[in-house]
Amino acid sequence: MVRHHKEGFTWEGVDVYPYKEEGTHFKSITRQTLSMGTSQFPVELRYFEIQPDGHSTLERHEHVHTVIVIRGKGQVLVRDRIYPIEVNDVVNIPSMIWHQFRANQGDYLGFLCIVSSERDRPSRPIERDLEYLRSSQEVADFIRI
Amino acid sequence: MVRHHKEGFTWEGVDVYPYKEEGTHFKSITRQTLSMGTSQFPVELRYFEIQPDGHSTLERHEHVHTVIVIRGKGQVLVRDRIYPIEVNDVVNIPSMIWHQFRANQGDYLGFLCIVSSERDRPSRPIERDLEYLRSSQEVADFIRI
């Protein structure tokens, strides 16, 4: 019923995994599943932690994310805007909107992510998408692919 | 897309409400809705904050809760056990299980609660339920009704 936290943003009985199985489109990021959801309420609570200078994948998908930062600070791209984020800030990622988290403020960026257990796989940008994204100089400078 | 926090566990554009409209079965507790959910993902993210010596309602319901503490410490009753909880501890409240949160450790107890937008109303204990709950001395001493 209660899953106590341990030192350093880890939890009893929760394994720390790589963010994704493979790829070079992310950097220095781990994933922990804090709550798996049930058949009645198929919603997962995950904790992602990006080390200083790391980033998540630049991607989009049909499913939505609700995120709340619980460690450190960084920035997030949502659609065509870059937002500073820090502890207790809430981020809603709408359906099919490009997004990327970066721990680019000299600190860890750790956040909870609430997501449906039943969800589509993310898509990464193809050349046409990158052209669109890079039409903003600020976004061009921000994204890591 | 981004809802920044303000001072003291409040957020931009988020009103602080009483926990419930009426009643004397709770004490010193507020409610904020940080994310409303969408038709595609009808899941709400709420923040509840209990002042020192306050408590939530002793109740149960069909819908499940996933909770994570983000401020202070306290205790929670889940079924027939009392657990100490503090920042970053995760609590899963199963369906139809009695539960109550108390800020009984000389500190605030603030927690995020993830819940379906479509949910049943909570039930409070009737005399028969209280007899059951009070069959444990520890629970009898803990509960506030």
Side-chain angles (χ1 to χ4, degrees):
Chain A
M1 314 284 195
V2 175
R3 197 182 282 289
H4 290 287
H5 76 287
K6 299 191 295 182
E7 293 292 303
F9 291 86
T10 60
W11 284 265
E12 287 174 354
V14 176
D15 293 323
V16 180
Y17 287 102
Y19 171 57
K20 292 179 180 174
E21 294 306 314
E22 55 183 342
T24 56
H25 41 82
F26 56 86
K27 183 181 172 192
S28 307
I29 171 167
T30 58
R31 168 174 57 89
Q32 298 177 70
T33 301
L34 305 187
S35 179
M36 287 293 290
T38 63
S39 56
Q40 185 205 344
F41 188 55
V43 173
E44 295 178 11
L45 176 64
R46 294 146 347 136
Y47 175 68
F48 293 96
E49 189 169 273
I50 312 180
Q51 290 175 42
D53 205 37
H55 58 84
S56 67
T57 304
L58 173 60
E59 64 186 28
R60 66 178 181 178
H61 35 68
E62 294 284 350
H63 65 273
V64 301
H65 283 318
T66 300
V67 162
I68 185 162
V69 180
I70 64 168
R71 180 177 190 184
K73 56 186 182 293
Q75 290 185 313
V76 61
L77 167 72
V78 185
R79 196 188 306 258
D80 55 2
R81 278 193 58 188
I82 294 153
Y83 301 85
I85 46 174
E86 58 179 38
V87 172
N88 290 343
D89 287 343
V90 177
V91 184
N92 277 293
I93 313 282
S95 193
M96 292 310 284
I97 296 299
W98 294 111
H99 57 280
Q100 184 169 44
F101 290 87
R102 287 188 57 195
N104 59 353
Q105 301 296 305
D107 199 350
Y108 283 80
L109 176 62
F111 54 88
L112 301 170
C113 179
I114 302 158
V115 73
S116 175
S117 304
E118 295 137 14
R119 56 186 182 271
D120 61 317
R121 289 181 69 88
S123 300
R124 293 175 51 211
I126 60 175
E127 200 50 47
R128 170 163 56 85
D129 302 312
L130 289 173
E131 274 174 36
Y132 160 74
L133 285 160
R134 287 175 175 145
S135 64
S136 154
Q137 189 59 49
E138 190 189 12
V139 173
D141 292 343
F142 181 83
I143 58 176
R144 296 291 178 274
I145 58 173
Chain B
M1 314 284 195
V2 176
R3 195 183 282 290
H4 290 287
H5 75 287
K6 299 191 295 183
E7 293 292 303
F9 292 86
T10 59
W11 284 264
E12 287 174 354
V14 176
D15 293 323
V16 180
Y17 287 102
Y19 171 57
K20 293 179 180 174
E21 294 306 315
E22 56 182 341
T24 56
H25 41 82
F26 55 86
K27 183 181 172 191
S28 307
I29 171 166
T30 58
R31 169 174 56 90
Q32 298 176 70
T33 300
L34 306 186
S35 180
M36 286 294 289
T38 64
S39 57
Q40 185 205 345
F41 188 56
V43 173
E44 296 178 12
L45 176 64
R46 292 142 355 130
Y47 175 68
F48 293 96
E49 189 169 273
I50 312 179
Q51 290 176 43
D53 204 37
H55 58 84
S56 67
T57 305
L58 173 60
E59 65 185 26
R60 66 179 181 178
H61 35 67
E62 293 284 349
H63 64 274
V64 301
H65 283 318
T66 301
V67 161
I68 185 162
V69 179
I70 63 168
R71 180 177 189 184
K73 55 185 182 295
Q75 289 185 312
V76 61
L77 168 72
V78 186
R79 198 187 305 258
D80 55 2
R81 278 194 58 188
I82 295 152
Y83 302 85
I85 46 173
E86 59 179 37
V87 172
N88 290 342
D89 288 341
V90 178
V91 184
N92 277 292
I93 313 282
S95 194
M96 291 311 284
I97 296 298
W98 294 111
H99 56 281
Q100 183 168 44
F101 290 87
R102 286 187 59 194
N104 59 354
Q105 302 295 307
D107 199 351
Y108 283 80
L109 175 62
F111 52 89
L112 301 170
C113 179
I114 303 158
V115 72
S116 175
S117 304
E118 296 137 14
R119 58 187 181 270
D120 61 319
R121 289 180 69 87
S123 300
R124 293 175 51 212
I126 61 174
E127 199 51 47
R128 172 164 54 84
D129 302 313
L130 289 172
E131 273 174 37
Y132 161 74
L133 286 160
R134 287 176 175 146
S135 64
S136 154
Q137 188 60 49
E138 190 190 12
V139 174
D141 292 342
F142 182 83
I143 57 175
R144 295 291 177 273
I145 57 172

